[in-house]
Amino acid sequence: MSTGEMERLRKTPPRKCDPDLRKTCQSLNKCGVGQYPYATGSDLKERYMQLSDGRWVLKTKTYFSRNSPVLLLGKCYHFKYEDENKMLPARSGCTIEDHVIAGNVEEFRKDFISRIWLTYREEFPQIEASAFTTDCGWGCTLRTGQMLLAQGLILHFLGRAWTWPDALHVENSDSDSWTSNTVKKFTASFEASLSGERELRTPAVSLKETTGKHSDDHAVRNEIYHRKIISWFGDSPVAVFGLHRLIEFGKKSGKKAGDWYGPAVVAHILRKAVEEARHPDLQGITIYVAQDCTVYNSDVIDKQTDSVTSGDGRDKAVIILVPVRLGGERTNTDYLEFVKGVLSLEYCVGIIGGKPKQSYYFAGFQDDSLIYMDPHYCQSFVDVSIKDFPLETFHCPSPKKMSFRKMDPSCTIGFYCRNIQDFERVSEEITKMLSISSKEKYPLFTFVNGHSRDFDFTSTAASEEDLFSEDEKKKFKRFSTEEFVLL
């Protein structure tokens, strides 16, 4: 809506409209969303599309080129094969320069939808020492951190080749999605009245129905782990990686519910959450957070050979998180090729990042646009403790794209390594990528042989009463200056 049209609308005398519609408009005005208590349906739709840049967001279609490859966490897809009726198996780790790139639209959609999507929720159990029963407006970086960790757990338990068998059954609605149940219901009925579309609905697919489709034990095991991973991120105090638990760890660093969390702070909170998890299935995985853009190889290996293992003597898997800045006030486009290279790796678990005022989970790219999942959709609380809880709201039906130039420079990059040998390979490969991308400049981050203590980066061990050391608290204070201003 142009400035002239907005001014004309302000001067237009109030028009008669349906009482229920007027009531809804007035309710929205109290929330600070609308300015026109008496507007027609077309005015409302046009107006709220203008407000998609904040807490109130709008789902829109995302367009992909058929002439360029799409990369999603190490897998390549090219949509032109769909027209040629060629169904080639997607393979991991292909490079941008490969001439034959596998996949089609449906395979890409299935792969993308299979990633775990964690968004704002409302009406969940109250967060301790606060009045919050929703994280709408402040929890998006915690949610993108959860998505990154969830992808790491998928690689750990299910592997990169896994996809959810029911992914393509998730309804891909083009209707608007709002951060209030009232507004969502109003929007659905409003859209239906305008275009004849059916209202939004969420078909439930139970575990019994899902496992009944697959006769082999491997598929049943995969579905059990799929549900288990999602349940670990449930919005309740008992969920090991749920919002309530992450906020508790954040308190040790001076954070509380309702505060802004930056991607570097979230990296350390995720590390503590994994270290403190007592679930038997989680004893074989840990998290390492790089210090001042440096990964100390011996420190990583020490964490992988920690004596607190599952008892079989195997190395622990590790998720390496590297908080970085891709420039000063704005993202430096010189880093674009490196970011694309990272998202082309099969062991990449994504990037916690976003743009100013919003945090996104970046999982892929096409050309110079990043593909991401957006946590800024407020959905109703789902009790993951009940048997056969619905899965659909934990899977995003449609990807979104954003120009790399719009990316906020502050972000955290994640990698998964199954064992020490895997880590050594990963560090070698990424070091080569960094040396190529940095040219004559300093690399974005480095892998260094030895321990951090060998370079005077000593830290005091955290006690049970104080989960973060004094050095870690100092880092949190420094990171706080780099945080997003989230809506």
Side-chain angles (χ1 to χ4, degrees):
M1 182 181 291
S2 67
T3 304
E5 290 173 325
M6 291 176 66
E7 185 63 27
R8 177 176 54 80
L9 186 57
R10 288 192 184 98
K11 294 179 180 179
T12 302
R15 286 168 282 186
K16 294 182 179 180
C17 65
D18 183 89
D20 292 334
L21 180 61
R22 181 186 294 113
K23 184 177 180 180
T24 304
C25 298
Q26 291 170 338
S27 176
L28 294 178
N29 291 333
K30 290 178 182 178
C31 299
V33 179
Q35 297 179 4
Y36 311 109
Y38 305 103
T40 63
S42 60
D43 294 331
L44 273 174
K45 186 175 182 181
E46 191 173 19
R47 174 64 188 169
Y48 293 129
M49 287 178 70
Q50 295 295 310
L51 292 174
S52 61
D53 180 30
R55 182 180 169 189
W56 302 83
V57 292
L58 181 71
K59 286 185 179 178
T60 56
K61 288 184 177 179
T62 300
Y63 294 93
F64 290 87
S65 169
R66 290 185 178 274
N67 301 317
S68 303
V70 176
L71 283 99
L72 181 70
L73 296 172
K75 282 197 175 184
C76 293
Y77 297 92
H78 206 305
F79 299 155
K80 68 182 180 182
Y81 285 127
E82 187 182 36
D83 291 341
E84 300 169 10
N85 295 317
K86 293 184 178 181
M87 297 290 288
L88 300 179
R91 53 192 173 87
S92 298
C94 56
T95 63
I96 305 171
E97 292 79 14
D98 284 349
H99 295 294
V100 180
I101 302 176
N104 67 1
V105 174
E106 291 305 292
E107 287 177 342
F108 168 73
R109 282 193 62 235
K110 188 172 185 179
D111 191 9
F112 177 84
I113 294 171
S114 297
R115 303 313 107 204
I116 293 176
W117 184 40
L118 297 157
T119 71
Y120 288 156
R121 296 278 172 172
E122 60 185 354
E123 300 172 355
F124 53 60
Q126 186 171 326
I127 296 172
E128 186 178 355
S130 79
F132 287 108
T133 58
T134 178
D135 62 317
C136 289
W138 55 269
C140 59
T141 315
L142 290 170
R143 296 299 187 179
T144 54
Q146 286 180 320
M147 285 188 260
L148 181 144
L149 177 56
Q151 177 59 21
L153 295 173
I154 285 178
L155 290 184
H156 185 65
F157 292 106
L158 301 173
R160 182 61 187 91
W162 173 84
T163 55
W164 183 33
D166 292 302
L168 296 180
H169 298 160
V170 174
E171 185 174 346
N172 184 7
S173 173
D174 295 328
S175 298
D176 301 353
S177 180
W178 307 86
T179 56
S180 162
N181 277 333
T182 303
V183 182
K184 281 187 284 189
K185 292 175 182 177
F186 160 72
T187 304
S189 59
F190 172 57
E191 290 292 334
S193 67
L194 285 180
S195 59
E197 295 177 358
R198 51 195 167 88
E199 293 187 13
L200 290 171
R201 60 184 178 82
T202 304
V205 179
S206 69
L207 179 59
K208 184 183 296 182
E209 292 171 346
T210 302
T211 54
K213 299 175 184 176
H214 313 285
S215 56
D216 59 292
D217 293 338
H218 184 68
V220 174
R221 172 200 170 275
N222 284 352
E223 188 56 28
I224 290 172
Y225 268 107
H226 174 209
R227 285 182 168 272
K228 185 180 292 187
I229 292 170
I230 290 176
S231 71
W232 287 334
F233 294 92
D235 293 307
S236 70
V238 297
V240 289
F241 305 130
L243 190 76
H244 296 68
R245 190 68 62 90
L246 298 185
I247 289 169
E248 279 301 309
F249 289 122
K251 286 179 181 178
K252 305 298 190 300
S253 66
K255 294 290 184 181
K256 62 182 184 298
D259 284 350
W260 314 130
Y261 294 75
V265 172
V266 169
H268 284 275
I269 291 174
L270 293 177
R271 174 180 60 82
K272 275 299 177 188
V274 172
E275 288 177 352
E276 297 297 314
R278 294 293 175 257
H279 194 287
D281 289 340
L282 295 170
Q283 301 313 299
I285 187 169
T286 187
I287 285 184
Y288 172 87
V289 181
Q291 302 179 49
D292 298 309
C293 300
T294 305
V295 177
Y296 294 94
N297 296 343
S298 296
D299 288 344
V300 176
I301 293 172
D302 284 351
K303 290 182 77 72
Q304 291 186 278
T305 56
D306 194 321
S307 60
V308 186
T309 62
S310 55
D312 54 13
R314 292 186 299 179
D315 304 338
K316 279 189 175 184
V318 63
I319 296 173
I320 299 172
L321 300 181
V322 187
V324 296
R325 282 193 70 86
L326 304 175
E329 292 184 5
R330 295 184 179 181
T331 296
N332 188 335
T333 55
D334 289 344
Y335 293 121
L336 172 60
E337 292 307 314
F338 175 74
V339 170
K340 290 164 71 172
V342 163
L343 293 171
S344 302
L345 301 172
E346 61 183 3
Y347 47 82
C348 176
V349 294
I351 299 174
I352 305 170
K355 62 183 181 180
K357 301 183 180 180
Q358 295 182 6
S359 180
Y360 299 143
Y361 170 63
F362 295 113
F365 68 91
Q366 184 181 47
D367 296 323
D368 293 345
S369 293
L370 299 174
I371 298 170
Y372 65 93
M373 288 197 287
D374 189 352
H376 300 86
Y377 295 94
C378 194
Q379 304 188 87
S380 297
F381 165 70
V382 173
D383 186 355
V384 297
S385 67
I386 63 173
K387 185 179 180 182
D388 296 354
F389 63 87
L391 298 170
E392 286 69 29
T393 62
F394 296 100
H395 291 278
C396 183
S398 56
K400 302 183 78 172
K401 290 171 68 177
M402 184 191 83
S403 170
F404 177 77
R405 295 175 183 273
K406 296 181 180 180
M407 183 179 180
D408 190 286
S410 181
C411 64
T412 291
I413 303 171
F415 308 98
Y416 170 82
C417 306
R418 188 168 294 277
N419 48 43
I420 293 176
Q421 185 179 4
D422 211 13
F423 166 68
E424 291 172 344
R425 176 178 65 87
V426 167
S427 61
E428 187 176 326
E429 288 182 3
I430 296 178
T431 298
K432 289 180 180 177
M433 288 178 55
L434 287 164
S435 63
I436 294 171
S437 65
S438 62
K439 297 180 181 178
E440 297 180 357
K441 304 186 298 295
Y442 272 115
L444 197 56
F445 61 93
T446 59
F447 289 82
V448 175
N449 290 326
H451 297 88
S452 60
R453 61 175 176 267
D454 301 331
F455 298 86
D456 295 325
F457 285 104
T458 56
S459 60
T460 306
S463 65
E464 291 182 3
E465 293 77 23
D466 189 2
L467 292 177
F468 292 97
S469 68
E470 289 303 315
D471 282 357
E472 288 174 327
K473 289 180 178 179
K474 291 177 183 177
K475 289 175 185 176
F476 276 119
K477 290 180 181 178
R478 185 174 75 249
F479 289 143
S480 66
T481 64
E482 301 177 356
E483 291 175 4
F484 294 114
V485 182
L486 304 176
L487 293 181

